[in-house]
Amino acid sequence: MSATEASFWEHLDELRICLLRCLLVVGLAGIAAFALKETLFDIVLAPRSSEFVTYRLLHSNAFSISLMNTELTEQFFTHMKVALYAGLLLASPYVVWQLFGFIAPALYDKERHVALRVGGAAYAMFMVGVFVSYFIVFPLTLKFLATYQVSPDVRNMLTLQSYIDTLLMLSLVMGIVFELPVVCALLSRMNILHKGLMQHYRRHAIVAILIAAAIITPSGDAFTLFVVALPIYLLYEVSILLVKKQRMT
């Protein structure tokens, strides 16, 4: 076996060990989240009551949204799914650090420094997106849609699965959307993107943002569209400032 082949297999073995460590930590975190069922679902189900912090800050009227279960195994599998996602979220700093530790030896010092900054910024922005979804986008969307009635004779019956799927979907999407400033800053460093281009196509970007928000939102109502589109537009404006800064350095 040549030195090149040995090096390749050694790297492959290191990657396998790295992934196994990540899976083990995610699994342990998921088991811990599963065991702490009451605490976990106190957090997950908090936005369905007017006691949630966002509603109190907005001085919202008192309300409580009841959830229903329609399948025999739905609650158990929902518990498992939420615990898995919670475990992944809790273990994510360790996972990111392990993956960076695997890649870092192959980089030069300058490249390693840039990768650390970019990776850290990308992870931080993703987490900010998740928190924005949990504290702003999802609660406002939930309250509006779950309490909206075309007639007092028509009652809303929200299922547990619908609630959880919407929460997870919006959290993932907002986490990805919040990567926009990081991507724009990278493109600026590569001399692909500049502030003049983003400012010139601002109107086009607004239309694209509205279209993207319409695709992202779980319903077609204008309120949810606005709640999702506004943070994306603000991120676009922040990206222009970051691109301007990058181009000046």
Side-chain angles (χ1 to χ4, degrees), residues 30-86:
I31 292 172
F34 187 88
L36 299 172
K37 181 177 67 172
E38 292 186 5
T39 302
L40 177 64
F41 279 91
D42 282 345
I43 297 172
V44 171
L45 300 179
R48 68 187 182 90
S49 168
S50 57
E51 294 299 315
F52 189 59
V53 59
T54 302
Y55 305 133
R56 288 191 314 215
L57 290 175
L58 296 175
H59 302 289
S60 175
N61 295 329
F63 72 94
S64 180
I65 300 169
S66 298
L67 301 178
M68 61 180 296
N69 176 48
T70 59
E71 300 291 337
L72 180 62
T73 59
E74 182 177 335
Q75 294 203 52
F76 176 73
F77 283 111
T78 297
H79 184 190
M80 291 186 62
K81 178 168 66 174
V82 173
L84 177 61
Y85 278 99

Side-chain angles (χ1 to χ4, degrees), residues 37-171:
K37 181 177 67 172
E38 292 186 5
T39 302
L40 177 64
F41 279 91
D42 282 345
I43 297 172
V44 171
L45 300 179
R48 68 187 182 90
S49 168
S50 57
E51 294 299 315
F52 189 59
V53 59
T54 302
Y55 305 133
R56 288 191 314 215
L57 290 175
L58 296 175
H59 302 289
S60 175
N61 295 329
F63 72 94
S64 180
I65 300 169
S66 298
L67 301 178
M68 61 180 296
N69 176 48
T70 59
E71 300 291 337
L72 180 62
T73 59
E74 182 177 335
Q75 294 203 52
F76 176 73
F77 283 111
T78 297
H79 184 190
M80 291 186 62
K81 178 168 66 174
V82 173
L84 177 61
Y85 278 99
L88 182 58
L89 193 65
L90 291 172
S92 57
Y94 178 82
V95 173
V96 171
W97 182 251
Q98 281 292 311
L99 293 177
F100 177 78
F102 173 76
I103 298 172
L107 303 175
Y108 294 109
D109 290 340
K110 185 176 181 180
E111 293 174 336
R112 190 179 299 116
H113 180 67
V114 172
L116 182 61
R117 289 178 58 189
V118 172
Y123 175 75
M125 290 304 294
F126 183 88
M127 295 303 295
V128 169
V130 171
F131 279 100
V132 168
S133 174
Y134 177 76
F135 285 104
I136 300 176
V137 177
F138 178 70
L140 296 180
T141 301
L142 175 69
K143 181 179 182 295
F144 177 79
L145 295 179
T147 60
Y148 183 84
Q149 291 179 286
V150 295
S151 169
D153 297 328
V154 182
R155 295 178 56 193
N156 289 325
M157 302 178 67
L158 185 64
T159 65
L160 175 65
Q161 182 177 354
S162 174
Y163 178 97
I164 296 298
D165 288 347
T166 303
L167 173 62
L168 295 178
M169 185 273 293
L170 283 178
S171 298

